[in-house]
Structure formats: structure tokens, C-alpha cells
Amino acid sequence: MFSFVFQRTFQAGLVVIAMSMLVFCGVYAVGNPIDVLLSPDATQEIRAQVIARYGLDLPLWQQYLEFANRLIHGDFGTSLVYGMPVGSLILSRLPATLELALFAVILASAVGIPLGVYAGYRPQSLASRVIMGASILGFSVPTFWFGLMLIMVFAVQCGCMPAGGRGATVSLFGVEWSFLTADGFKHMLLPGINLALFKLSMMIRLARAGTREIMLSDTVKFARAAGISERTILLRHVMKLISIPLVTVFGLEFGSTLAFAVVTETIFSWPGLGKLIIDSITSLDRPVMVAYLMLVALLFIVINLSVDLVYVLLDPRLRKGRS
């Protein structure tokens, strides 16, 4: 087990180094932030001073080495637009995106897995066909259109839900959270549902496919022959056997939701990382763009490592193979 963790951690470190090079070179090859920061009327002397201040006059490899040196010490640089440390800026926006993504994935799992298991257990029933039809609709509807329809129906027509913003927050351990207040939770419902739509459809189809496969297996046949109740079969056999692929999907979808909630946050004016990266791209705020992409890469690496470790805990065969 220790060698497995060490090997995966070493591989993750190599991936982080490679991603830092690709992200840095890719971002610094796009546009010139000086054109955004300075007025077109600025003199060449002023432009040269600003370029030298931010180190943009150095060769690309030297800029990367300085960036890597700061990164090792936990310094992501200073935002060109906000004029504050990038790390502090991202940390101030991270809780909003984190709670929205976690709410969406938990909602999709809590609703999608039971519906998928039922659809796999009773595949010929009318309810199962309705569930599977709704899952196809969830895959097909664009996120931005569904979000706009939610705003149109519940915020404009009914007036029972807020159209955007984060609402009231409560400080817990020095971090502001919305779900701890009634107003904040109300503001989180529409963007959370919008973000959970695609994940919900995926959970339904995965749970349904896994349940159908296991219900036709010899394991279930022998359990029924032994007189075990259907409820026990579903809870102890079906749910346990489909848990491994669902854990993988839960981890990866949580990472993708956290990293790419850009559309939802933009539509609902949710002050998270997605809106921050859109504003940074518009203003060519390179330090924020690089830090965000590095955070996304690191997030997926950590999630993949965590999923591998959960695999070993869930499947005894893997533990025997590692020992």
C-alpha cells in the first residue's frame, strides 16, 4: 500500500511539473496585458517601465523559472487588474464555487442513484421509461438555455426565487458560506439545480446500467435461491457492487463541476472562480489565469489519487494484489 501511494504521488508530481510548463507557455503566448493595462496614449517610456516592472521583458524560460520559484514558495504572483496577491484572490472566491459544486454533485447523486437503481430493477415499468427519457433530455438540453429558463420561470414569472447573486452569508472558520442562511440557500437553489442537470442524467444512466448487469448475474440468482429478500439484495449486493464506478464518477464530476462552473456562475452572477476566470481572460490578467489553470490541474490530480485509494478500500481483491 505504501509503495502504491508513493508511486502515484511521484507520478502526480511529474504531471504537475509538465502541466505548469504547458499552462505557463500557453497563457503567456496569448495577447499582451500591457495593451489592456495602459492607455493607447501612453508613451514608449511608460510602456517600457511597466513591462520591466512585471518582468515581461525577460525571455520566456526565465519568466517560467521565476514563476516556478514563486510557486514552490506558495506565491502565485500579483493580479494585474485587482492589484492583490493571486492566492488571496482565489481563496476569496473558492468557497462560493466549492459549496455550489458540492451542492450540485450531492443533489445529482442523491436523486440520480436511487432513480437509476429503480430503473434498472424495474426496466419494463412506465416509471422507468419516464426516468430514462428524462435522463436523455438532461443530456440534450444546453446548460445556458436551462439556466435561462429557470430564471424566466421561477424568478421572472413566479417571482419566488432570486435571479442571481449569492445572498446572505455566514462566517464559519473565517470563511463566508451561503448554505448556512435561508436567504443564501435560496440563492443557491437555481444555480445548483442548473449545474446538477447533466450530472443527474449521468448518475441515472450509470446506476441503471450497473443495476441491470448485476441483477442478471449469478450473484443475485444465488442470493434469491438462498431466500434473501429483494431489499437485502439491493442494499447489500447491488449497491455495493455498483459503488466503485459511481465513486469514480462522483470524484471526477465533482472536479469538473468545481473547475468548469463558468457558464452557470456567469448566468446567475455567482461570485465564484468561474466568473473570476472569465473576467481575467477578458482583461488578460495572466497571473490569475495561470493560477486558476494550475489549481484545476492539481484538483484533478488529487481527485484521481483519492479515487485510486478509495478503490483499494472498496475492493478487497486490490488490497490483496498490493500486499
Side-chain angles (χ1 to χ4, degrees), residues 30-196:
V30 178
N32 186 2
I34 301 301
D35 295 335
V36 178
L37 293 174
L38 294 180
S39 170
D41 300 331
T43 63
Q44 290 299 323
E45 182 180 357
I46 295 177
R47 291 179 62 89
Q49 291 176 357
V50 174
I51 291 174
R53 181 194 309 168
Y54 291 106
L56 301 178
D57 56 336
L58 301 175
L60 186 60
W61 65 268
Q62 191 171 348
Q63 293 185 47
Y64 172 76
L65 290 180
E66 292 188 0
F67 163 76
N69 181 57
R70 293 195 306 267
L71 191 62
I72 293 174
H73 294 86
D75 182 11
F76 290 95
T78 303
S79 170
L80 303 179
V81 176
Y82 295 93
M84 62 182 296
V86 174
S88 301
L89 181 61
I90 289 180
L91 287 177
S92 66
R93 301 291 188 94
L94 181 60
T97 299
L98 181 63
E99 67 175 351
L100 183 62
L102 194 59
F103 174 76
V105 175
I106 291 177
L107 177 64
S109 302
V111 177
I113 293 176
L115 290 179
V117 171
Y118 178 82
Y121 184 69
R122 303 287 188 191
Q124 302 302 324
S125 66
L126 177 62
S128 297
R129 295 177 181 177
V130 171
I131 291 172
M132 298 310 297
S135 69
I136 296 175
L137 184 65
F139 276 119
S140 306
V141 174
T143 302
F144 71 89
W145 182 86
F146 187 70
L148 293 175
M149 290 301 102
L150 288 176
I151 294 175
M152 178 66 70
V153 174
F154 293 100
V156 178
Q157 299 294 336
C158 299
C160 59
M161 301 294 290
R166 195 179 177 190
T169 60
V170 170
S171 179
L172 180 64
F173 303 114
V175 180
E176 298 294 328
W177 301 98
S178 296
F179 73 96
L180 295 175
T181 67
D183 182 65
F185 186 77
K186 190 176 181 181
H187 278 77
M188 191 169 60
L189 277 177
L190 290 187
I193 293 172
N194 184 60
L195 199 58

Side-chain angles (χ1 to χ4, degrees), residues 240-301:
K240 185 176 181 180
L241 291 174
I242 68 174
S243 61
I244 292 180
L246 290 179
V247 165
T248 305
V249 173
F250 184 92
L252 295 179
E253 287 303 311
F254 175 68
S256 65
T257 304
L258 188 62
F260 306 120
V262 178
V263 175
T264 297
E265 291 187 359
T266 302
I267 292 175
F268 291 92
S269 299
W270 188 263
L273 290 178
K275 194 171 186 303
L276 174 65
I277 191 62
I278 290 296
D279 296 339
S280 300
I281 292 173
T282 304
S283 58
L284 289 177
D285 196 346
R286 285 178 175 176
V288 176
M289 296 165 62
V290 172
Y292 176 83
L293 294 175
M294 285 298 302
L295 177 65
V296 170
L298 184 61
L299 175 68
F300 276 99
I301 291 170

